[in-house]
Amino acid sequence: MADRSCVELGLLSSISLMASYSFFFFFFLLLLLQPLRSLSCYSAIFSFGDSLTDTGNAVYFAGGADPANRLPYGETYFRRPAGRYSDGRIVLDFLAQALGLPLVPPYDAGHNPEASDFASGANFAVAGASALSPLYYQAKGLNVSGEDYSLDTQLKWFRQMLQFSHIGDTFDDALFFVGEIGVNDYNNLLSMDGTSVDCARWLVPSIVQRIGSAIDEVLQTGARTVMVAGMFPLGCIPLFLTMFLRQQSDAYEPETGCLKSLNLLSQYHNLLLQNELGQIQKAHPRSKIIYADFYDNLMSVYRSPEQFVIWCGAGIKSTVVACCGGEGPYNFSFSVMCGDPTSRWCSHPLNYMCWDGMHFTEAASRVIARNIIDGSSAHFSNSTKMLADT
């Protein structure tokens, strides 16, 4: 009975947030929520990650001077910039709405952690965050610029929140979401002159180990359910397709147009991550570790986009070209980014996988979230996978 009331609450909350949408979207939402009848009722969501999970922290740190604080960001759902690196909602938003919870507030954008109420959750994710700290790169003799929003910093904020609140008492009913993280580590290395994809592989074990230690720390504070996102297909992102534009034709997957080497990097990352989660699950048998498979989830769309109808017969048509950007074959330019006055954007983001060359559209995030919720791309980490040649 408790599960049913949780779902009904989620339905009412979601409908109130989307009152301006048509009957068809409500019908879709009903279908989306059906699998949740088998899930526990969560009272809060606490999340970590990078720009795919950020709901406003980076905009706050930039004093508002950030692309995500300008149109056309947020235009599809919020009708205004909402701190998300998308035209609308991200995966985290869909999960919160499906569980009948408020959209997860950005922790640092709360300004005053002592006075803020995080009873329904908090988001520590920041755009540009890396899994590894700058100190790691310095020790390796690598110069990585930018602010330190790494997992080390996000966990520091998490510990800070615990000092000023008693929400740790509710962790039994909280969902902890570790969004995809590591892409900025790979990008830091790949953007250096003369660095190949093979060179980026040596980072994978360290990144996965850091993600694992972060999860272990969260579990030590009393968390009982942790969902961990895998790496998405890096080879299908306009940013990297533009960066490696001069590759030979055999460097691309003929079926998708994605770069083979970068997708293999994603697969290697996910293989090691799933092995790590299996070990963590063994060490914490009373907790639930859930792996959210972003890679296979999205590759099914890249391979057959025509099969994914999002709303009222409309669906994804463009997979590797950005909706909003500059120029070039992928509508992405390092000199003209989405949000720039000279940038251009598509009229129907619903038909696109990629929003700005680096992040997903609401349509793509909806596909990911739907498959996580119905269980087709999320599973418990109760065993260690066999290592395979990748």
Side-chain angles (χ1 to χ4, degrees):
M1 188 67 180
D3 289 350
R4 182 178 178 184
S5 63
C6 179
V7 174
E8 290 173 349
L9 177 61
L11 179 59
L12 291 173
S13 175
S14 297
I15 288 178
S16 66
L17 284 168
M18 296 178 286
S20 62
Y21 275 48
S22 72
F23 166 79
F24 294 102
F25 187 81
F26 292 148
F27 179 71
F28 167 79
L29 187 63
L30 284 168
L31 294 177
L32 181 66
L33 291 176
Q34 287 301 312
L36 288 180
R37 294 187 183 276
S38 63
L39 294 180
S40 299
C41 184
Y42 296 105
S43 62
I45 299 178
F46 297 93
S47 49
F48 306 84
D50 56 22
S51 54
L52 292 186
T53 310
D54 191 354
T55 55
N57 284 318
V59 169
Y60 168 70
F61 285 127
D66 187 274
N69 202 37
R70 298 193 295 266
L71 287 172
Y73 284 89
E75 66 172 9
T76 296
Y77 179 77
F78 300 99
R79 308 300 182 190
R80 58 175 176 78
R84 282 120 173 112
Y85 292 82
S86 176
D87 62 305
R89 288 165 292 180
I90 58 177
V91 172
L92 181 65
D93 294 325
F94 281 108
L95 294 178
Q97 289 183 336
L99 292 170
L101 297 173
L103 299 184
V104 187
Y107 174 71
D108 281 282
H111 307 306
N112 185 358
E114 295 186 49
S116 299
D117 179 12
F118 299 112
S120 62
N123 187 6
F124 303 93
V126 189
S130 58
L132 301 170
S133 72
L135 291 176
Y136 173 90
Y137 292 103
Q138 292 173 14
K140 300 294 183 180
L142 298 172
N143 182 23
V144 175
S145 59
E147 298 292 333
D148 180 10
Y149 299 133
S150 65
L151 281 175
D152 284 358
T153 300
Q154 293 181 34
L155 286 168
K156 180 182 71 176
W157 295 333
F158 175 63
R159 292 190 294 269
Q160 181 185 56
M161 180 191 68
L162 294 180
Q163 293 177 357
F164 298 124
S165 67
H166 301 288
I167 58 175
D169 299 335
T170 67
F171 280 177
D172 282 351
D173 298 324
L175 173 65
F176 283 77
F177 180 70
V178 181
E180 169 282 320
I181 193 163
V183 64
N184 291 311
D185 298 83
Y186 299 133
N187 186 42
N188 287 336
L189 200 61
L190 292 170
S191 59
M192 296 180 182
D193 291 338
T195 303
S196 67
V197 176
D198 287 339
C199 291
R201 274 180 73 97
W202 72 266
L203 268 182
V204 177
S206 296
I207 290 173
V208 169
Q209 185 179 34
R210 184 63 193 96
I211 295 172
S213 62
I215 295 167
D216 187 73
E217 180 172 340
V218 167
L219 290 169
Q220 295 289 350
T221 66
R224 288 293 174 262
T225 305
V226 183
M227 178 179 288
V228 186
M231 184 59 64
F232 56 88
L234 293 172
C236 303
I237 301 301
L239 164 69
F240 293 117
L241 287 165
T242 301
M243 186 182 295
F244 296 96
L245 188 59
R246 297 179 182 178
Q247 295 287 318
Q248 299 296 322
S249 59
D250 61 358
Y252 300 88
E253 298 172 353
E255 191 178 13
T256 63
C258 304
L259 285 164
K260 296 177 182 177
S261 59
L262 281 165
N263 277 358
L264 287 173
L265 178 63
S266 296
Q267 292 175 42
Y268 181 51
H269 173 106
N270 291 335
L271 181 64
L272 267 60
L273 178 60
Q274 289 178 79
N275 287 335
E276 180 77 9
L277 297 182
Q279 294 301 319
I280 295 173
Q281 182 67 83
K282 289 180 180 179
H284 299 272
R286 302 180 69 177
S287 299
K288 297 177 183 178
I289 312 297
I290 305 169
Y291 173 70
D293 189 347
F294 277 32
Y295 186 90
D296 286 345
N297 197 335
L298 288 168
M299 283 305 296
S300 62
V301 187
Y302 285 117
R303 294 188 183 105
S304 304
E306 70 282 352
Q307 296 183 12
F308 291 83
V309 176
I310 304 299
W311 184 39
C312 298
I316 294 171
K317 298 178 181 178
S318 181
T319 54
V320 296
V321 175
C323 169
C324 179
E327 55 188 15
Y330 303 105
N331 195 32
F332 177 82
S333 170
F334 291 100
S335 59
V336 180
M337 309 292 280
C338 183
D340 186 276
T342 62
S343 64
R344 58 189 183 187
W345 59 91
C346 65
S347 56
H348 300 291
L350 187 69
N351 298 144
Y352 286 73
M353 285 282 287
C354 187
W355 168 239
D356 58 3
M358 299 170 285
H359 309 100
F360 298 112
T361 59
E362 173 169 306
S365 293
R366 182 181 295 169
V367 171
I368 297 170
R370 179 174 59 194
N371 291 338
I372 290 173
I373 292 167
D374 70 18
S376 61
S377 65
H379 58 80
F380 292 109
S381 299
N382 54 12
S383 62
T384 301
K385 291 181 174 291
M386 295 296 291
L387 286 170
D389 293 332
T390 58

